[in-house]
Amino acid sequence: MSGIYLHIPFCKQACHYCDFHFSTSMGLKERLVEALVKEMDLRAGYLAPGAPVNTIYFGGGTPSLLTAAELDTLLSAIFARFAVAPDVEITLEANPDDLTPAKVRELAASPVNRLSIGLQSFHEPHLRLMNRAHSAQESGAAVRRAQDAGFENISVDLIYGVPAPDHGIWEQDMAAAFALGVPHLSCYALTIEPDTVFGRQLRKGKFLAPPDEFVARQFELLLTEMARHGYQQYEISNFCRPGRESRHNSAYWGGVPYLGLGPSAHSFNGHSRQYAVANNPRYVAAVLEEGTVPATEEILSSRDQANEYLMTSLRTARGCDLARLRDELGVDLPAARAAYLAHLQATGLATLAGGWLRLTDAGKLLADHITLELFQE
């Protein structure tokens, strides 16, 4: 099995928290779609021959800015060049303001069968603070419009840890999301990256990030409310009704190979990673004029692969399979990190049972730190 990711690097405007690669200029969009198709030809041998493509994911940027014709061009090219599974999951990220009645009808008529809608909040001042292009009213309306058009497989994004006097706004955001009845929710803590508007404002003293305790409490509220409403936490930031996990993202966490297409896209084939240049003009010129993909390759050592498995598996409810880590990746973690594993269990941050290491709710708050401590040097 395998997956395909397409990076669509265009946005109407820059959200103040975002450090993904994108451009607010649409001048290269038509040429970039052409380059994506060409890249499929240039990298036709990246995935194992005949490996079924089980998931296709349009990320960005804002893939909902693609026209119906552009989306059809890309999907037709994929189906013509790869062994696409009959039950393929095809996800398209969308912003609420793009999901007009006409747009939703176009998407419903396409092969896209899953929408990931970036709501972020139902609170107007927070949307303005983050420089989102949609209004609070559009947040819910877009989801309901998609549902009315026949989309049932919908995920919505929310952001917590936004500066506020108390937790009331976050509680209202969660309640509004639950009322929509979607099967999947992705909830992310607001992270202040240096090269963003928030990052620059923070350095100048114009933005005050909430304390860690405030964010942690909102994460705890999130876990409580998700469980109360019947959603399972299958990864630190992802929640779903039973059996409704994102197949594409679950494959990432499971180490399934995938082909990333487009500027800044990452690819993984089991033993190496490839990172395409995060520059639209350079990407388009190289692919269309030179017939090359401007990218950097990283060969993963056995230690790298072990550390990657630790990092991804500990984010999931399934946890880290210590036998796999030992037999396939050569790391006997209980022997190599016995004292630290004992500490994690004694402090209630992790459990070790049946050959599986799993983080507790308290441990999930410190997942990055714990993973770094377990990394093999």
Short mmCIF file of all heavy atoms in Angstrom, two decimals, residues 279 295 308 312 318 377:
data_model
loop_
_atom_site.label_atom_id
_atom_site.label_comp_id
_atom_site.label_asym_id
_atom_site.label_seq_id
_atom_site.Cartn_x
_atom_site.Cartn_y
_atom_site.Cartn_z
N ASN A 279 9.90 26.66 -3.13
CA ASN A 279 9.95 27.86 -3.95
C ASN A 279 9.18 27.59 -5.24
O ASN A 279 9.61 26.76 -6.05
CB ASN A 279 11.41 28.21 -4.24
CG ASN A 279 11.58 29.49 -5.04
OD1 ASN A 279 11.15 29.57 -6.19
ND2 ASN A 279 12.22 30.48 -4.43
N ALA A 295 15.09 18.79 -5.40
CA ALA A 295 14.80 18.20 -4.10
C ALA A 295 16.09 17.71 -3.44
O ALA A 295 17.10 17.48 -4.09
CB ALA A 295 13.82 17.03 -4.24
N GLU A 308 12.46 7.65 14.11
CA GLU A 308 11.22 8.05 13.45
C GLU A 308 10.05 7.20 13.94
O GLU A 308 8.95 7.71 14.18
CB GLU A 308 11.34 7.93 11.93
CG GLU A 308 12.16 9.04 11.30
CD GLU A 308 11.73 9.34 9.88
OE1 GLU A 308 10.80 8.68 9.38
OE2 GLU A 308 12.33 10.26 9.27
N THR A 312 6.71 8.76 15.76
CA THR A 312 5.36 8.65 15.22
C THR A 312 4.48 7.73 16.07
O THR A 312 3.32 8.05 16.35
CB THR A 312 5.39 8.15 13.77
OG1 THR A 312 6.13 6.91 13.71
CG2 THR A 312 6.05 9.18 12.86
N ARG A 318 -2.26 3.55 19.69
CA ARG A 318 -1.71 2.20 19.58
C ARG A 318 -0.39 2.09 20.33
O ARG A 318 -0.11 1.09 20.98
CB ARG A 318 -1.52 1.88 18.10
CG ARG A 318 -1.02 0.49 17.79
CD ARG A 318 -0.91 0.31 16.27
NE ARG A 318 -0.28 -0.95 15.91
CZ ARG A 318 -0.91 -2.09 15.78
NH1 ARG A 318 -2.21 -2.14 16.00
NH2 ARG A 318 -0.27 -3.19 15.44
N GLU A 377 21.06 7.78 20.05
CA GLU A 377 22.11 8.71 19.58
C GLU A 377 23.17 7.98 18.77
O GLU A 377 23.33 6.78 18.86
CB GLU A 377 22.74 9.41 20.77
CG GLU A 377 21.73 10.24 21.58
CD GLU A 377 22.37 10.89 22.78
OE1 GLU A 377 23.57 10.63 23.06
OE2 GLU A 377 21.68 11.67 23.47
#
